[in-house]
Amino acid sequence: MPRVVLAGDTTLTGVARALQKRLRSGTSKWSVIDSDFNSWQREAIDPQSQFHQTSPEILIYILSPRVLTDLPDIEAEFDVFLRGLTSVAGATRVLCTTVAVHPHQPQPLIETLAGQRIAAVLNTKLLSFQEQNSWFDLIDQTALFASHGVSALTDARYETIGRMYYSPKGAELLAEALSRAVSALTTSPKKVLVLDLDNTLWSGVLGEDGIDGIGIGGDGVGYAHLRFQRAIKTLARSGVLLAICSKNDEADALGALAEHPDMALRIGDFCAHRINWESKCDNLRGLAEELNLGLDSFVLFDDSPFEREQVRRLAPEIDVIEVPADPADYVRALADYPGFDRFRVTEEDRSRSRQYLEQAQREALKRQSESLEEFYISLQMHALIECARETTLPRVHQLIWKTNQFNLTTQRYDEPELRSMMKSGERRIVTLRLSDKLGESGLAGVLIVSTAGLRWEIDNLLLSCRILGRTVEYGLIRFIAQKARAAGACELAASFIPSARNHIAAGFLQRAGFQMEERSGKWVLTLDKADTLIPKDFVSITDKVDELVTGE
Amino acid sequence: MESTAPLPDETALKNVVVSALEIAHTAYRPDLQMHDVPAWDSVAHLNLIFAIEEAFAVKFQTELIPQLDSIAKLRAAIAQGAAFDPGSMA
C-alpha cells in the first residue's frame, strides 16, 4: 500500500482525508497520513517524525501563506529547511507548495507587496532546489489562489477553531491539485495529441469556406483558435507529439497549413497525419502503427461529439478530451486535461518530434535501399556507451518506466533504487546514445548488469522502440560480452520475462546466441564463442564506460 | 420566539449529514449525537458544518461551531441562526 505523508505549518487532517479519498478512486490503495501540526521544519531531520516512522513513497510539504507573516526570520528558517531536506535525498519523492501571499493584511498597500517580495525570495530558493534535485518538485500555490480565490480556500473561523488555514472547501481544492500532482509523479504521461482540423484548429470548414474563408487569427472566433494553436505549440515543446486526424481533402488541408499566413502551427509541427475520409478509429490505429506507439498513448481533441463518441466506444484505450462548445474555452479544456502532466522536460522530450520526423526519413531510405545491409551501412550509425550519471538518471528512469516493447524483464526501478544501484556498485547501469547521419536519437538504451565473478548477469536490457531494427541491440550485447570477457568472465546470463507488451523482445536472446540453461531457467551466452554467435551489427561504438567490474 | 422559526427540511438535513460524515443512510437517526458516531470526529465536524452552511445558506459564529454537537442542535441552529443559544439545549 503506497503512502503519502503531509507536513506543513497548519492543520492538514482535512487535506489528508480529502487527498486519500481522491487517490483511492484510482487503482492503487494509497494511504495519506498528516504529520504533526507545524512539523515542516523538523519532518526531514527528526527520527521520530511521521516521515521517518512511515517511510512514505511521497512526502508533501504544504506551506500556507502564514509562514510569511508568522515566522520572525522566514528566510533563514527556509535555508535550514532546505538543508534538512537534502538528508532525505533519494529515499522518497518530495513535493512542496510554493509560497503564496494572503491578501487580507493591515496596511495592504504596503504589506501585501512586502509579502510578495519575501515570497519571491523563498520561491526562488525552492525553484533552484528543484533544479538541483531530481526527487524534489513544486506545486504552484499562487496558481491555486488565483484560480479559486482566498475566500474559497480559507475561512478565518476554521483557522480560529482548529489552526486549520485551509477550510473544508480549501482542503478539497488543495487535494484536487495534489492528487493531480501525485498522478503526474506515478503515471507516465500520454505521448500524442491527435487533432481534428475544421472547427478545431480553425473555425469553419475548409472544403466549403476555402483557405480564405476559414477563421484563424485576426478578431473574433479566429483569435480563439489562434490561442488554441499557440497552447498546443507550448504543449509540443514539452515533448508531446502532435498528429492530425481529419476528414478533409489532404492536399487542401496541407496547403492551408503551409500557406495560410496566420497559423501558429505548421505542418512541420506534426509528426504524422491522416487526412482522408476513412473512419477516425481506423485512422487512429494507423497512426499508432506508424508511430510505433500503443493506442493508450493517444489523446484526441475533436470538436465533433459524434467522432468523440465513436472513438470512446470503439477505441476506449484513447483518452478523448471533452471539447467545450465554445472555441474560446478550448485552451482551458486542454489545461484541465491532466494526461500530459509532467514535472520535468528532458532533452529527449524536447527533441522527440524531430526524432519521429527523422524516423520517417529512415523508413524512406530503407525503401530505397537495395538490401538491408546497404541500408544499415548508409545510416552511418554511431553509439556512445557510458555508465549512468546523476545527469542522465532522469532519462534512464523515464526509459525504464516507459519502455514496454523491447524490454527483457519489464523490471521497473524508481529513482532512489537506481541511485543506490549506481552508488553501491553491485550492479552497473550502462546507457547507450545513438546517432546516425539523419540525427540524434539521444539516450535510447539501458542495460543493467551485475559484473561480479565468472558469470555476468544482465538484470535488464531495454531499448526505445525508435532505435529498434537497426542491429543496435546486437552491438550493445557484443560490447558487454567483450567487457565481460576482458574482465575474465566466461558467461553472460540474462532472463526474459514475458509481459503483455514485450513480445518483440521474445526471441532476442536466442538470436543473439544465448542458450537456455535448464537448471536455472536463464539464457546464457558462452563468451569465448560470443563473437561468432552474436549477429553482425553496423554500429561504431565509442566506449566511455568507467570500470565496469565490481571491486573486491 | 423559538417556535416561530421554520425548521430545516429533514430529508435535506439527513442527506447533508450522511454525505459529510460519510456514514450509511441506515446509520442516521434524527437524534444522533457527535459522541455516538465514531466517524464524527473534530475534522468531520468542520466538514459537516461547512456542508450545512452551504446547503442551508447559514453562517455560524466561530464560538458556536464546536458546540453544535448533535443533530438536534444543528437543526435548531439552522432554524434560528444567530438567535440560537446552545445553552438552552444542553
Side-chain angles (χ1 to χ4, degrees), chain A residues 376-403:
Chain A
Y376 292 141
I377 293 168
S378 71
L379 281 177
Q380 299 163 28
M381 286 179 282
H382 182 106
L384 172 68
I385 300 181
E386 55 193 335
C387 289
R389 287 172 277 123
E390 190 58 38
T391 47
T392 53
L393 200 68
R395 172 59 181 164
V396 169
H397 176 254
Q398 188 184 45
L399 267 183
I400 282 177
W401 283 84
K402 280 182 22 180
T403 309

Side-chain angles (χ1 to χ4, degrees), chain A residues 332-386:
Chain A
R332 177 71 189 266
L334 198 58
D336 285 343
Y337 172 71
F340 293 121
D341 285 358
R342 59 179 83 218
F343 280 104
R344 280 156 200 272
V345 178
T346 62
E347 213 39 61
E348 272 77 11
D349 290 332
R350 271 189 280 268
S351 58
R352 187 167 296 121
S353 182
R354 178 178 52 73
Q355 281 163 7
Y356 274 92
L357 289 169
E358 286 163 9
Q359 186 57 29
Q361 291 173 307
R362 276 185 205 104
E363 295 297 329
L365 192 63
K366 190 170 174 181
R367 282 193 296 273
Q368 293 156 16
S369 300
E370 295 279 316
S371 67
L372 258 184
E373 185 153 334
E374 186 201 82
F375 164 64
Y376 292 141
I377 293 168
S378 71
L379 281 177
Q380 299 163 28
M381 286 179 282
H382 182 106
L384 172 68
I385 300 181
E386 55 193 335

Side-chain angles (χ1 to χ4, degrees), chain A residues 112-229:
Chain A
T112 55
L113 287 173
Q116 296 293 1
R117 194 195 57 80
I118 311 172
V121 172
L122 302 183
N123 289 334
T124 307
K125 285 182 200 282
L126 287 173
L127 281 163
S128 45
F129 195 78
Q130 178 188 30
E131 226 163 80
Q132 290 154 16
N133 297 287
S134 61
W135 44 270
F136 179 85
D137 285 296
L138 290 170
I139 299 163
D140 185 2
Q141 186 165 208
T142 303
L144 192 74
F145 272 80
S147 301
H148 304 289
V150 68
S151 33
L153 288 167
T154 176
D155 184 320
R157 294 173 304 148
Y158 297 104
E159 194 181 0
T160 305
I161 294 167
R163 290 293 176 279
M164 182 172 149
Y165 179 81
Y166 302 98
S167 67
K169 168 89 172 161
E172 198 50 58
L173 294 167
L174 188 54
E176 182 185 6
L178 294 176
S179 89
R180 186 166 166 172
V182 168
S183 307
L185 277 189
T186 52
T187 54
S188 36
K190 302 288 176 183
K191 293 173 181 159
V192 191
L193 174 60
V194 182
L195 295 146
D196 174 52
L197 295 176
D198 292 334
N199 290 317
T200 299
L201 287 194
W202 54 68
S203 72
V205 177
L206 181 64
E208 290 168 15
D209 305 325
I211 186 168
D212 300 321
I214 57 172
I216 174 71
D219 296 323
V221 75
Y223 182 70
H225 289 278
L226 178 63
R227 294 234 63 102
F228 182 54
Q229 288 199 5

Side-chain angles (χ1 to χ4, degrees), chain B residues 41-56:
Chain B
D41 61 12
S42 59
V43 174
H45 184 64
L46 297 184
N47 286 341
L48 173 61
I49 295 294
F50 173 76
I52 284 179
E53 289 185 335
E54 272 218 321
F56 297 100

Side-chain angles (χ1 to χ4, degrees), chain A residues 457-491:
Chain A
E457 289 239 15
I458 295 176
D459 176 273
N460 200 9
L461 164 63
L462 49 98
L463 296 179
S464 157
C465 51
R466 65 171 178 250
I467 64 166
L468 286 185
R470 290 198 251 162
T471 73
V472 180
E473 55 275 36
Y474 299 124
L476 182 55
I477 282 291
R478 185 185 321 280
F479 175 86
I480 289 298
Q482 283 165 355
K483 283 276 169 195
R485 188 141 192 237
C490 312
E491 291 172 335

Side-chain angles (χ1 to χ4, degrees), chain B residues 25 27 33 64 80 88:
Chain B
H25 273 267
Q33 307 215 21
L64 186 58
Q80 296 164 31
S88 67

